[in-house]
């Protein structure tokens, strides 16, 4: 309260405790600080005077020694808010100086942080300036920073904010308020400082005005000396236009609004910049409620949200759109939203009936027309550039300039608030500005120039993405043809970390680039068509998709993966490129596998295999044979899986393709492991790991180490399991490979749970589950939930265990995961038996047995053991012993730790 009212804490405490009667100007400040309107403040003041009269006491003097009734007094002080002056709520002209503020808008809403930032200019207690410390001067205090610059893009509400705030603090400037529209971005020419000074000097009562700029500025500062005047300089073009209009005393405060950042005013004149962004969704919703009524807006929540999004949360656009909604007879948002959804006509919809001051297109034009030619050209090209943002190297290739020049042009656009600067020096514009830039590009730039610029950008994106993927996935297949070298190369990558960071930051732009390139065979001649050129850009579509898929795989960006593959497929088929079509079908097969859609995965692989054989792509055939084998493995068609994996291994060996051979051998090792051939699997994975390590293939090393760790755990080799899984975890974390990391953490949890470290195990499996959910990895969700359930089971938390495993079974069935079903059913059977439900337990173990026989001997053994235990609980011992005997035999043949207890149980019961 002390800061908001501008009253020292001790003084305010005396007033509020009743020790001292509050002077009228202090009362005004407190009431307004509490959120009262000027009219309410006036009512408080009248009531205060009536209370004083009722007590037969004269009203106390104002804080500078005169009573509230002396509103016409000419006494002055150094700072706003002290001495006499017009009461809050008094009309213009009732004070002692100019009252030029335009009317405040009734629809003002939000901007809480910006208002607070402006208020901080007045937050210091008044005593600091009235009685400065010995040896100091008023200008050494924070209030000496007497200039605020409200900077933001066109239509963001700079003027509205400045005027609204000025009205809320006008009572603190007893000598008046000056307002001047400098017309920096109006249809006409900007107002010169000379003309501006003449206007304010006349408003201040000057009888004669000097002829020259320096003379006028000097007289202006003289007239404002020791005055308390608020100066609002609206719509400024430059610091040079504003500087002569700055008062020379700390008692005045100047608020400047501009689309330019006015960096010179901040650096040289100590101005405080208030950056005005577009409205938040909540603020935009509040504005619509003010304009159209709360009930009306809340009754159509989806349409309201769409309206805000299509207007880019820009206040000017929202006001124009709300006016269109308001004059529709039906009174709904749907018609206006539909009009705004049409990109080609969106700016026409926001035309405001031809009023140049509220026509969104016209307002944007005043910012663009003052740009240097090179910056204006880049602005236009950004309107047709695919992707939400751009960096310096991309802009350099798009504009055909050096990186240094591109940075200067981007900064020029950012200073004009036509671009926002985001993390990692990436620049972006909101959708309405993009629409306008696109219009200008089609109107001003030749189609050939646009095509050349976009092709140069596409060349750079493909080249840079390929360079990044050389670090992230060096084992990827080489594509035919030469990747074009862009005119400006960069950034350079030193390793996997900065390469991955660039791919992450550029991901949305790369995905959009594939979509744009896929559509580029359409005409570029009109704004109603896609931007691009046939042929070369379409080739970029499938090249980029094939280059990027392993990044999507490691980060589990399934939507991006499917989107790029589908768009690239469209381009490849339009081009008749069978090689590309087969490559993309294979990638889609891997994507469907990652999404646990195994039938769809198999279908894609089989189609790709047909094309590979048709065109004679034998390396591709070896790759896709392995994919067919993997899909059949997921579907538990193990003989068919083994057949295709062996064919892939043989063909890769024949072609001397060691990498493909190892991929196929790795899948065969998994198959052997599932069949209970654990030692053979460990040996094969060890050979594969040695090659992967030599080749520096970190992604594949992490996968192989994870598989090795799981096999060692199965055999009870805890130290070896922890060693392998620890190395796998380190690699997965280094590469930010969330797909593999989730699986590794799940395996580590199982190892720690068996060793009795339940707390560690539970933390690890919960992290695995969180990763699996974040990446929509259904297969790993099933595994992690099952592991978590069994950790709860081992700790006696049977209800929690049952909940987890039932969740796992639901996912398993919904996404057709036959490979996971036996483990989930067996876990549920063990939990239900412990809960005293042997019939339900028996049912789950029998379901596990059906799936596991001949496909997973370990889970078959668990199912036999569980079936026997359930039958014994049902007093059916004669039926139980054969199952228990079979379980012990299977465990012994597999060489797993469960063999000893199983055999001991049989011996104990004869």
């Amino acid at each position: 309260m002390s800061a908001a009212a501008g009253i020292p804490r001790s003084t305010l405490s005396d007033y509020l405790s009743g020790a001292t009667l509050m002077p009228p100007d202090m009362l005004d400040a407190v009431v307004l600080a509490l959120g009262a309107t000027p009219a309410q403040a006036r009512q408080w003041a009248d009531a205060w005077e009536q209370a004083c009269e009722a007590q037969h006491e004269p009203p106390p003097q104002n804080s500078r020694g005169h009573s509230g009734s002396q509103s016409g007094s000419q006494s002055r002080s150094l700072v706003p808010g002290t001495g006499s002056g017009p009461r809050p709520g008094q009309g213009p002209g009732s004070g002692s100086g100019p009252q030029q503020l335009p009317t405040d808008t009734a629809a003002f809403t939000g901007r809480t942080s910006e208002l607070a930032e402006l208020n901080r200019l007045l937050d210091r207690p008044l005593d600091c300036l009235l009685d400065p410390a010995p040896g100091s001067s008023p200008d050494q205090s924070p209030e000496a920073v007497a200039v605020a610059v409200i900077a933001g893009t066109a239509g963001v509400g700079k003027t509205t904010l400045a005027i609204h705030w000025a009205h809320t603090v006008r009572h603190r400037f007893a000598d008046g308020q000056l307002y001047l529209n400098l017309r920096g971005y109006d249809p006409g020419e900007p107002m010169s400082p000379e003309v501006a000074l003449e206007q304010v000097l006349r408003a201040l009562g000057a009888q004669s005005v000097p002829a020259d700029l320096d003379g006028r500025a000097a007289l202006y500062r003289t007239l404002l000396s020791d005055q308390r005047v608020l100066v609002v300089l609206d719509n400024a073009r430059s610091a040079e236009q504003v500087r002569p209009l700055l008062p020379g005393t700390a008692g005045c405060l100047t608020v400047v609004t501009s689309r330019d950042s006015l960096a010179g005013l901040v650096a040289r004149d100590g101005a405080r910049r208030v950056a005005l962004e577009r409205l938040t969704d909540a603020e935009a919703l509040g504005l619509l409620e003010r304009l159209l009524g709360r009930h009306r807006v809340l009754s159509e929540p989806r349409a309201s949200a769409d309206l805000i999004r299509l207007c880019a949360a820009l206040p000017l656009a929202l006001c124009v759109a709300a006016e269109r909604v308001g004059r529709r007879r039906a009174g709904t948002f749907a018609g206006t939203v539909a009009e705004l959804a049409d990109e080609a006509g969106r700016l026409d919809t926001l035309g405001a009936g031809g009023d140049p001051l509220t026509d969104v297109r016209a307002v944007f034009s005043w910012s663009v027309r003052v740009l240097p030619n090179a910056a204006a050209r880049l602005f236009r090209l950004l309107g047709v550039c695919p992707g939400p943002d751009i960096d310096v190297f991309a802009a350099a290739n798009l504009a055909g300039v050096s990186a240094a020049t591109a940075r200067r042009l981007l900064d020029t656009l950012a200073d004009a608030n036509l671009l926002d600067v985001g993390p990692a020096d990436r620049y972006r514009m909101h959708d309405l500005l993009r629409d306008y830039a696109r219009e200008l590009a089609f109107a001003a730039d030749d189609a050939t120039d646009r095509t050349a610029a976009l092709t140069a950008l596409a060349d750079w994106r493909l080249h840079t993405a390929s360079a990044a993927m050389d670090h992230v996935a060096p084992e990827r297949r080489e594509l035919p043809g030469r990747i074009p070298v862009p005119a400006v190369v960069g950034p350079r990558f030193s390793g996997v970390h900065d390469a991955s960071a660039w791919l992450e930051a550029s991901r949305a732009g790369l995905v959009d680039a594939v979509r744009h390139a896929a559509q580029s065979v359409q005409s570029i001649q009109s704004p109603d068509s896609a931007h691009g050129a046939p042929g070369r850009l379409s080739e970029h579509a499938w090249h980029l998709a094939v280059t990027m898929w392993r990044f999507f795989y490691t980060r589990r960006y399934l939507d991006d993966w499917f989107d790029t593959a589908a768009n690239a497929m469209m381009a490849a088929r339009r081009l008749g490129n069978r090689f590309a079509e087969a490559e993309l079908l294979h990638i889609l097969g891997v994507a469907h596998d990652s999404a646990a859609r195994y039938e769809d995965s198999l279908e894609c692989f089989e189609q790709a295999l047909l094309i590979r054989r048709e065109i004679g792509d034998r390396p591709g055939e070896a790759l896709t044979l392995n994919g067919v084998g993997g899909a059949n493995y997921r579907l538990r068609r193990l003989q068919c899986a083994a057949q295709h994996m062996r064919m892939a291994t043989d063909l890769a060996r024949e072609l001397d393709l060691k990498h493909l051979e190892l991929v196929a051998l790795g899948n065969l090792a998994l198959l052997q492991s599932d069949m209970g051939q654990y030692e053979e699997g460990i040996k094969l994975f060890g050979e594969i790991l040695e090659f992967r390590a030599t080749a520096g293939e970190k992604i594949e090393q992490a996968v192989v180490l994870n598989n090795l760790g799981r096999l060692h755990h199965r055999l009870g080799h805890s130290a070896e399991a922890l060693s392998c899984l620890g190395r796998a975890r380190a690699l997965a974390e280094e590469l930010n490979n969330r797909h593999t990391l989730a699986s590794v953490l799940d395996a580590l949890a199982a190892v720690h749970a068996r060793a009795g470290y339940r707390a560690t195990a539970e933390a690890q499996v919960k992290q695995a589950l969180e990763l699996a959910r974040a990446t929509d990895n259904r297969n790993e969700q099933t595994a992690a939930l099952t592991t978590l359930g069994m950790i709860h089971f081992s700790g006696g938390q049977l209800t929690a265990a049952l909940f987890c495993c039932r969740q796992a079974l639901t996912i398993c069935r919904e996404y057709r995961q036959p490979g996971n079903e036996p483990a989930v059913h067996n876990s549920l059977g063990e939990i239900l038996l412990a809960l005293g439900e042997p019939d339900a337990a028996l049912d789950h173990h029998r379901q596990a047995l059906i799936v596991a026989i001949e496909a997973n001997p370990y889970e078959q053994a668990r199912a036999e053991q569980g079936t026997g235990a359930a039958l014994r609980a049902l007093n059916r011992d004669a039926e139980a012993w054969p199952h228990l005997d079979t379980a012990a035999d299977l465990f012994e043949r597999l060489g797993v730790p469960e063999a000893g207890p199983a055999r001991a149980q049989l011996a104990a019961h004869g």
Side-chain angles (χ1 to χ4, degrees):
M1 172 62 72
S2 171
I7 304 173
R9 286 179 179 272
S10 58
T11 306
L12 185 63
S13 176
D14 288 342
Y15 291 154
L16 296 179
S17 67
T20 305
L21 195 60
M22 194 178 295
D25 60 326
M26 295 294 187
L27 176 68
D28 291 341
V30 169
V31 170
L32 287 165
L34 289 169
T37 65
Q40 291 169 329
R42 188 166 59 251
Q43 292 172 355
W44 270 90
D46 292 342
W48 175 84
E49 289 184 353
Q50 291 170 10
C52 288
E53 291 172 1
Q55 296 296 321
H56 304 289
E57 295 181 8
Q61 296 289 303
N62 267 332
S63 58
R64 291 299 291 167
H66 49 275
S67 70
S69 61
Q70 296 173 305
S71 59
S73 170
Q74 297 301 308
S75 67
R76 296 170 180 171
S77 64
L78 289 174
V79 293
T82 61
S84 66
R87 277 258 179 89
Q90 285 182 331
S94 57
S96 60
Q99 308 286 319
Q100 293 187 336
L101 291 181
T103 305
D104 193 5
T105 177
F108 186 89
T109 186
R111 302 303 193 190
T112 306
S113 62
E114 291 86 356
L115 288 169
E117 193 168 351
L118 289 167
N119 284 335
R120 278 193 287 274
L121 291 171
L122 304 175
D123 269 353
R124 292 277 292 178
L126 302 179
D127 299 355
C128 292
L129 284 183
L130 292 172
D131 301 300
S136 68
S137 66
D139 358 279
Q140 292 173 319
S141 74
E143 282 77 1
V145 181
V147 183
V149 174
I150 302 175
T153 192
V156 80
K158 301 178 294 297
T159 299
T160 301
L161 172 64
I163 292 173
H164 175 78
W165 182 77
H167 275 282
T168 66
V169 300
R170 59 182 296 185
H171 67 284
R172 302 179 69 170
F173 297 91
D175 297 306
Q177 306 92 42
L178 292 168
Y179 171 84
L180 204 59
N181 179 3
L182 297 178
R183 299 201 301 266
Y185 296 92
D186 272 7
E189 289 300 313
M191 182 182 292
S192 68
E194 291 87 349
V195 171
L197 281 167
E198 181 178 8
Q199 290 192 16
V200 295
L201 288 172
R202 298 293 185 193
L204 290 169
Q207 298 301 311
S208 62
V209 175
D212 64 303
L213 175 62
D214 290 342
R216 292 180 181 187
L219 178 59
Y220 172 68
R221 290 191 296 272
T222 299
L223 290 176
L224 291 183
S225 177
D226 293 335
Q227 295 276 308
R228 301 179 313 284
V229 175
L230 175 62
V231 181
V232 179
L233 302 176
D234 192 18
N235 196 10
R237 169 75 67 85
S238 65
E240 291 72 20
Q241 185 188 28
V242 170
R243 195 167 280 122
L245 293 160
L246 299 180
T249 174
C252 296
L253 190 145
T254 306
V255 179
V256 185
T257 75
S258 180
R259 300 184 192 184
D260 190 88
S261 62
L262 299 184
L265 214 59
V266 174
R268 176 179 164 184
D269 300 281
R272 182 178 298 176
R273 185 185 294 119
V274 178
L276 196 60
E277 307 292 342
R278 288 173 286 144
L279 297 173
T280 65
D281 287 347
E283 288 175 332
L285 194 65
L287 177 58
L288 287 180
E289 290 174 2
R290 288 286 189 97
L291 294 169
L292 295 168
R294 181 177 175 81
H295 174 74
R296 188 172 183 182
V297 171
L298 296 183
S299 65
E300 297 185 68
R302 183 181 295 275
S304 299
D306 287 342
L307 193 72
I308 291 168
R309 175 179 55 81
L310 293 168
C311 289
L314 198 65
L316 174 63
L318 285 167
C319 289
V320 175
E323 189 277 331
R324 290 183 73 86
V325 172
R327 63 178 142 97
R328 286 180 179 274
R329 290 185 179 180
T332 66
F333 287 75
T336 302
V337 168
E339 291 172 346
L340 290 171
D342 174 18
E343 290 185 14
R346 186 179 299 160
L347 293 177
D348 292 330
T349 302
L350 298 173
D355 177 1
L357 296 181
T358 51
D359 182 305
V360 171
R361 182 186 283 110
V363 169
F364 289 165
S365 72
W366 304 331
S367 291
V368 174
R369 70 176 186 173
V370 301
L371 293 172
N373 289 338
R377 177 175 178 269
L378 178 57
F379 175 77
R380 298 193 299 271
L381 288 174
L382 291 174
V384 295
C385 168
D389 57 17
I390 198 167
D391 65 14
V392 169
F393 294 104
N397 284 280
L398 179 69
V401 298
S402 68
T405 300
R407 183 177 294 280
R408 285 197 297 272
L409 296 178
L410 288 169
D411 288 342
T412 297
L413 295 176
D415 286 344
N417 282 291
L418 292 169
L419 289 180
D420 298 323
V421 186
D425 279 342
R426 301 188 71 84
Y427 299 76
R428 65 170 58 218
M429 62 173 62
H430 64 71
D431 289 344
L432 293 179
L433 272 174
R434 183 180 294 274
D435 290 344
Y436 180 62
R438 182 173 180 264
E439 275 189 4
L440 293 181
F442 281 99
D445 297 323
D446 181 78
T448 304
D449 181 55
R450 293 196 304 273
T451 302
L454 292 171
T455 303
L457 174 63
D459 288 345
W460 172 81
R461 278 178 162 152
L462 177 58
H463 181 274
T464 311
S466 182
M469 290 304 296
D470 284 343
H471 291 280
V472 174
E475 71 281 4
R476 63 197 177 92
R477 189 185 182 196
E478 289 295 327
L479 297 176
R482 185 181 65 86
I483 293 178
V485 178
V488 180
V489 176
R492 308 278 185 179
F493 305 116
S494 60
V496 67
H497 291 292
D498 52 350
S500 296
W502 181 86
L503 289 165
E504 185 66 53
S506 307
R507 176 168 59 96
L510 293 167
V511 171
D512 206 26
V514 173
R515 187 182 303 115
H516 166 268
Q519 298 167 348
S520 63
V521 292
Q522 301 175 39
S523 171
I524 195 174
Q525 299 304 316
S526 75
D528 299 321
S529 65
H531 327 300
R536 184 170 170 188
L537 281 180
S538 293
E539 292 287 347
H540 279 61
W542 75 266
H543 273 126
L544 257 180
V546 172
T547 298
M548 291 291 298
W549 78 266
R550 283 183 177 272
F551 178 72
F552 298 146
Y553 165 78
T554 59
R555 299 294 177 95
R556 293 287 301 176
Y557 292 136
L558 290 178
D559 289 343
D560 291 342
W561 194 348
F562 280 110
D563 185 81
T564 53
N567 279 297
M569 181 76 74
M570 177 179 69
R573 286 174 172 165
R574 189 179 296 138
L575 293 168
N577 188 329
R578 298 286 277 168
F579 176 90
E581 185 178 354
E583 200 75 15
L584 292 162
L585 280 166
H586 181 94
I587 289 171
L588 279 170
V590 182
H592 282 301
D593 176 81
S594 292
R597 296 197 283 263
Y598 303 126
E599 293 285 2
D600 293 333
S601 174
L602 180 60
E603 182 181 351
C604 287
F605 284 132
E606 287 177 338
Q607 289 181 38
L609 185 60
L610 288 173
I611 299 175
R612 305 276 206 201
R613 287 171 170 166
E614 172 194 324
I615 64 176
D617 177 11
R618 301 197 76 206
E621 181 182 348
L623 185 65
T624 302
L625 277 168
N626 185 62
V628 173
N632 279 294
Y633 167 76
R634 300 284 197 193
L635 294 165
R636 311 313 290 168
R637 300 165 188 168
L638 299 187
Q639 287 187 347
C640 185
Q643 178 187 1
H644 282 87
M645 289 173 188
R646 291 191 182 98
M647 290 168 63
T649 304
D650 293 342
L651 182 53
R653 193 171 289 145
E654 175 190 337
L655 298 172
D656 195 25
L657 298 171
K658 190 65 177 178
H659 171 70
L660 290 182
E661 180 186 346
L662 291 174
V663 171
L665 284 173
N667 283 335
L668 271 173
L670 280 176
L671 185 59
Q672 288 177 331
S673 303
D674 275 8
M675 296 301 294
Q677 300 168 20
Y678 302 135
E679 294 292 351
E680 292 87 341
I682 287 174
K683 180 181 177 182
L684 194 49
F685 277 130
E687 294 172 0
I688 295 169
L689 179 62
E690 185 178 350
F691 180 87
R692 299 294 193 195
T694 302
E697 297 170 355
K698 292 185 176 182
I699 291 177
E700 302 300 338
Q701 283 182 65
V703 172
V704 174
L705 283 165
N706 182 36
N707 290 328
L708 270 172
R710 287 173 175 272
L711 289 179
H712 282 300
H713 169 62
R714 178 60 52 82
L715 291 171
H717 307 158
S718 298
E720 292 88 342
L722 287 173
S723 174
C724 290
L725 293 170
R727 291 163 63 193
R729 178 179 185 175
L731 285 169
E733 289 176 339
E734 177 188 346
L735 300 169
N736 195 17
N737 185 338
R738 299 186 294 171
H739 176 85
T740 300
L741 181 57
S743 180
V744 172
L745 287 167
D746 174 53
L748 277 168
V751 176
H752 283 115
R754 179 183 282 179
Y757 300 108
R758 285 188 56 251
T760 300
E762 186 173 340
Q764 288 172 333
V765 77
K766 284 181 176 178
Q767 188 181 350
L769 183 58
E770 183 181 347
L771 276 170
R773 284 172 171 162
T775 57
D776 200 31
N777 187 340
R778 304 293 181 173
N779 194 61
E780 189 50 49
Q781 285 177 44
T782 302
L785 282 166
T786 306
T787 303
L788 181 59
M790 295 312 289
I791 291 171
H792 287 318
F793 175 68
S794 68
Q797 299 169 289
L798 301 184
T799 303
L802 185 64
F803 177 76
C804 289
C805 289
R806 280 179 170 167
Q807 275 191 303
L809 186 60
T810 299
I811 297 171
C812 198
R813 286 173 170 170
E814 183 179 352
Y815 290 92
R816 296 197 60 193
Q817 300 172 2
N820 288 328
E821 277 192 46
V824 179
H825 279 301
N826 280 327
S827 298
L828 280 167
E830 293 169 14
I831 295 164
L832 287 164
L833 183 62
L835 285 167
E837 300 181 38
D839 286 313
L842 182 61
D843 180 60
H844 278 290
H845 286 303
R846 283 176 170 168
Q847 290 187 63
L849 197 57
I850 292 169
V851 182
I853 286 178
E854 298 183 359
N856 191 330
Y858 177 79
E859 291 300 336
Q860 180 186 350
R862 280 186 72 194
E864 294 280 11
Q865 187 176 50
T867 299
L871 288 170
R872 288 199 65 211
L874 292 167
N875 297 315
R876 295 159 59 180
D877 287 9
E879 297 175 64
W881 296 121
H883 290 286
L884 294 172
D885 191 50
T886 301
D889 287 343
L890 283 169
F891 282 139
E892 285 177 345
R893 180 164 63 82
L894 293 170
V896 296
E898 291 87 346
R903 186 58 68 189
Q905 182 185 25
L906 282 171
H909 292 85

